[in-house]
Amino acid sequence: MSAEDTGGSGLFDKLSEAVHLEVVNFHPLQKAVTLASRIIPLHVGNRLRASALRVYGVEVGEGTVVYGPPEIASAEEEGFAKMTIGRDCVLHVGCLFELGDTVTIGDRVTLGNGVMVITTTHQLGPREHRAGLRIRHPVVIESGAWIGARSVILPGVTIGAGAVVDAGSTVNKSVAANTRVRGTPARVVEELAP
């Protein structure tokens, strides 16, 4: 009796598909770079971490420092090289970048501890499953901006040049250049000198 006669081939196909679904988000290079970056103590080897991001496929400008290993998440079909970081930027400890779409960071941008940059969300679905189809929108943080600790930048947002996002803010709409915002959702609290 062959494997086809006993349904073994169908079982193998189902098992193969299940294994594929479980490992599709595993990127060996991503894991190797993350592990290497985590071995380096916080606030030490800041330029080494920037170099590790380059190996990872992220464009990183000269002079940029990374104080702790950023968490980078991406959808299986997206890969993990959809981020550009400009020159002389500072990324503090615990930043998270979800790369369902592109993230572009200009020159001389500072991201505080625990900043989250999210590029995907979901359409509102029916009551049986409210998180409907996935929607992707890029995020842009223009040159000179400062994003305070534990802030969240949501899909489709552009933070204008020289803008400031106060710590703990959730930004769901674009922020004009040289503007300071605060809160959840973030609202303008001050116009800054250009």
Side-chain angles (χ1 to χ4, degrees):
M1 194 176 275
S2 71
E4 288 178 21
D5 294 336
T6 60
S9 178
L11 178 61
F12 177 78
D13 290 343
K14 287 180 182 179
L15 182 60
S16 177
E17 181 180 339
V19 168
H20 173 75
L21 290 173
E22 290 299 323
V23 299
V24 72
N25 286 325
F26 180 75
H27 302 290
L29 179 60
Q30 175 188 13
K31 295 304 176 192
V33 170
T34 300
L35 178 62
S37 194
R38 290 185 192 283
I39 291 171
I40 304 166
L42 298 178
H43 300 287
V44 174
N46 308 320
R47 285 175 178 78
L48 281 173
R49 279 194 197 87
S51 294
L53 285 174
R54 288 183 191 100
V55 169
Y56 193 60
V58 176
E59 292 178 39
V60 181
E62 292 300 316
T64 290
V65 295
V66 183
Y67 288 120
E71 190 72 34
I72 297 179
S74 61
E76 69 278 1
E77 70 274 11
E78 299 304 322
F80 49 79
K82 291 189 137 193
M83 187 160 76
T84 303
I85 303 170
R87 298 174 57 89
D88 302 315
C89 293
V90 176
L91 278 65
H92 284 278
V93 176
C95 292
L96 179 139
F97 301 95
E98 182 274 325
L99 301 180
D101 207 320
T102 58
V103 172
T104 306
I105 299 173
D107 298 333
R108 298 169 311 284
V109 169
T110 298
L111 301 182
N113 292 330
V115 167
M116 294 176 64
V117 178
I118 310 295
T119 64
T120 61
T121 186
H122 295 271
Q123 290 179 350
L124 185 60
R127 64 185 168 90
E128 297 81 21
H129 189 226
R130 291 296 183 197
L133 295 174
R134 188 166 47 179
I135 305 169
R136 305 158 201 234
H137 296 289
V139 170
V140 176
I141 302 173
E142 294 178 349
S143 295
W146 174 20
I147 312 300
R150 306 297 275 175
S151 291
V152 179
I153 312 301
L154 294 175
V157 167
T158 295
I159 306 293
V164 175
V165 175
D166 282 358
S169 297
T170 301
V171 184
N172 63 353
K173 293 181 182 168
S174 292
V175 177
N178 301 309
T179 302
R180 184 175 185 173
V181 298
R182 174 185 305 143
T184 300
R187 301 200 190 292
V188 175
V189 293
E190 182 179 4
E191 298 296 330
L192 303 170

